[in-house]
Amino acid sequence: MPRPRFRVLLGMVGVGLVILALHDGWLNGPLGLARVGFAPVEWSITNVGETVGGVVWSFLRVGTLSRRVRTLEEELARLRAEQAREASLQQENAELRQALRLLPRTRFRHVAADVTGVSTDGASAVLRINRGANDRIPTDAAVIAADGVVVGHVSSVQTSTATVELLTGGKVRVAARALDTGAEGIVHGVRGLDVIFDGIPRTQTLRVGDRLVTTGLDGNFPPYLLLGTVVSVRALENAIFQEASVQLPLDLHRLKVVAVLLES
Amino acid sequence: MRKILLPLLLFFLLAGGETAVARWLPSPFVAPLLLPALLTLAFRLPATRLARLAFLGGLAGEAASGLPGGTILAALVALPLAVRALVRRPELPVLVRGLVGMIAALLFSILVQAAAPGPFAPPARLLAQFITAKLLFPSLFVGALVLFMGSLLDAREQRRFSSLGLLPAAAGGPYPSVK
């Protein structure tokens, strides 16, 4: 065998060993250390990329932006009204729980984190955040955005950074309930192509437009976090369960700030 | 030192661009930037230097993209080396190089998708979207970029880029032998 080819073969074998080592987690330690050094660079890159991308995107979509702004203004007004109603309900709820001597509904506190990186390979769906073991972030902690929208959970923690597995990727499964009809099932992603609400018995009613929230039964996410809205319902003939496609309220790949929920 | 730092800086910029593209493209679509850069160089560099650049590029991509497993790192090292081993003819027309880049990107996409958890193929109703967004679009994108970058390097006769340590000193002369 000629020498150059032998070297290439050796290189390929080396790469194979690296893949095996990565797969079995043997390199987690060195990778964690490397990420500590890369974190500031990574953050700068993301910020620059985001700024440039934002300018280009705005320029390309300038025609549709004004229409979008009008729609969002209407949506904002509606949400403000809804928020005011909810605030009064929350106050009433707190008073009632105090009167009945019930424990507070949630026992979590938030730790805000900046998103410093986003996966680019098309197979994984992860974010990197600038909080880690130094901030007492545990693995499997729930991550939310916009004060109550499920983003995913922490899949690995390094010294000053952590990796968040997104709901869209397929590794995160959340016990969910439709607020309007009470149907219960599991919400999970399919390779970033769709988010599905499935495992719902056909005896339960499910409608397009239903809002889905967490139930808290999976033990990872506290109850009443928003997951999304049902956009289509499918039920095969003779199938025991039905499933629905879910539209998320936020584009999880474009988040800049998230919050990690820690038990207090 | 310059031969390491400058390519690393360039690859960090590419990785940053990749992150920006990933954020602003419609959700299921991906458009790799590091891969076409490495594939373009794969037609020109000796295997040892290419391996070093591929590793640095992979590391930059891994750091900037937030990938947990580092599959992309390993794939980014393996793929240019494989292309380098199979195609060592810089005199090929750029269109052919673009086509080879596209095929290599398709293999890369399949490898990365296969490494993801769960069944390889999504449900039938999402299959068309999967093939378009996850396999065909990235492959065409990479093929087009390899073609473009190859043309650019040809047009500049490699002189300007050699100062970045990305190309051998003998650039423009006979094709360097594999060391």
Side-chain angles (χ1 to χ4, degrees):
Chain A
M1 184 185 285
R3 200 175 162 214
R5 288 193 181 172
F6 182 67
R7 283 197 174 197
V8 169
L9 188 67
L10 268 182
M12 303 295 268
V13 171
V15 168
L17 288 174
V18 169
I19 293 174
L20 273 177
L22 288 166
H23 187 263
D24 291 340
W26 299 337
L27 294 181
N28 282 354
L31 278 177
L33 280 176
R35 279 172 189 158
V36 173
F38 278 126
V41 184
E42 183 182 3
W43 198 2
S44 312
I45 285 172
T46 303
N47 282 338
V48 171
E50 202 168 84
T51 308
V52 173
V55 169
V56 173
W57 185 255
S58 305
F59 179 74
L60 291 175
R61 300 199 59 194
V62 72
T64 57
L65 280 179
S66 58
R67 284 195 299 276
R68 183 85 180 134
V69 166
R70 275 199 300 278
T71 313
L72 288 175
E73 278 174 350
E74 288 167 11
E75 180 77 5
L76 182 64
R78 194 181 62 75
L79 287 174
R80 277 183 175 152
E82 198 170 309
Q83 192 183 27
R85 278 197 301 276
E86 280 190 12
S88 63
L89 286 173
Q90 270 182 10
Q91 194 178 357
E92 186 182 310
N93 183 40
E95 286 166 6
L96 287 170
R97 293 182 84 84
Q98 198 174 9
L100 293 169
R101 298 181 192 285
L102 291 175
L103 289 172
R105 180 173 254 170
T106 59
R107 56 183 195 287
F108 293 91
R109 62 186 175 88
H110 298 177
V111 174
D114 289 308
V115 175
T116 58
V118 56
S119 58
T120 56
D121 66 339
S124 60
V126 297
L127 298 177
R128 184 79 63 76
I129 58 172
N130 67 343
R131 301 281 187 179
N134 288 344
D135 307 285
R136 298 170 190 270
I137 303 289
T139 307
D140 288 336
V143 179
I144 62 167
D147 204 20
V149 177
V150 172
V151 170
H153 69 63
V154 175
S155 58
S156 67
V157 181
Q158 294 82 44
T159 312
S160 57
T161 60
T163 305
V164 177
E165 196 71 44
L166 296 176
L167 179 63
T168 49
K171 284 188 187 172
V172 180
R173 302 176 78 84
V174 188
R177 176 189 298 129
L179 264 185
D180 307 296
T181 57
E184 290 193 354
I186 303 288
V187 169
H188 62 93
V190 184
R191 290 182 173 270
L193 299 168
D194 198 7
V195 177
I196 289 175
F197 180 37
D198 68 5
I200 315 143
R202 289 189 70 159
T203 49
Q204 295 188 359
T205 309
L206 193 59
R207 287 193 300 255
V208 172
D210 276 356
R211 286 168 301 170
L212 302 179
V213 294
T214 53
T215 62
L217 293 175
D218 50 38
N220 293 324
F221 293 88
Y224 298 103
L225 295 174
L226 182 63
L227 284 157
T229 311
V230 172
V231 287
S232 66
V233 181
R234 292 175 296 278
L236 293 174
E237 287 287 327
N238 304 321
I240 302 170
F241 298 103
Q242 55 185 327
E243 67 168 30
S245 286
V246 179
Q247 186 178 38
L248 302 183
L250 298 166
D251 186 341
L252 303 185
H253 280 274
R254 294 188 193 172
L255 293 174
K256 292 178 182 173
V257 179
V258 293
V260 183
L261 295 183
L262 303 178
E263 288 200 46
S264 52
Chain B
M1 196 65 171
R2 194 187 66 170
K3 286 187 176 180
I4 296 293
L5 284 181
L6 286 174
L8 187 60
L9 183 68
L10 184 66
F11 279 117
F12 263 124
L13 289 175
L14 280 169
E18 196 162 296
T19 307
V21 169
R23 278 179 178 246
W24 294 103
L25 272 180
S27 194
F29 286 86
V30 281
L33 286 175
L34 275 169
L35 184 62
L38 291 167
L39 287 173
T40 307
L41 293 171
F43 288 103
R44 296 163 187 276
L45 297 188
T48 47
R49 188 174 299 192
L50 179 68
R52 201 159 57 226
L53 286 168
F55 181 75
L56 291 176
L59 200 62
E62 205 273 340
S65 69
L67 284 172
T71 311
I72 197 168
L73 186 144
L76 278 172
V77 176
L79 200 66
L81 284 178
V83 171
R84 179 73 185 85
L86 294 171
V87 187
R88 288 183 292 160
R89 296 176 60 193
E91 72 275 13
L92 283 175
V94 284
L95 200 65
V96 177
R97 280 184 253 164
L99 192 67
V100 174
M102 199 179 83
I103 294 166
L106 186 64
L107 293 175
F108 173 81
S109 303
I110 291 171
L111 173 72
V112 171
Q113 292 295 335
F120 175 75
R125 68 184 174 83
L126 297 172
L127 202 56
Q129 198 185 5
F130 172 73
I131 291 171
T132 309
K134 303 286 189 181
L135 302 180
L136 284 184
F137 178 80
S139 307
L140 286 170
F141 180 85
V142 170
L145 266 189
V146 169
L147 195 152
F148 170 75
M149 292 165 72
S151 307
L152 197 69
L153 287 186
D154 285 351
R156 300 272 177 165
E157 292 185 347
Q158 307 176 2
R159 273 185 228 131
R160 185 168 295 183
F161 292 91
S162 66
S163 64
L164 291 176
L166 286 174
L167 292 171
Y175 189 66
S177 60
V178 178
K179 291 174 185 173

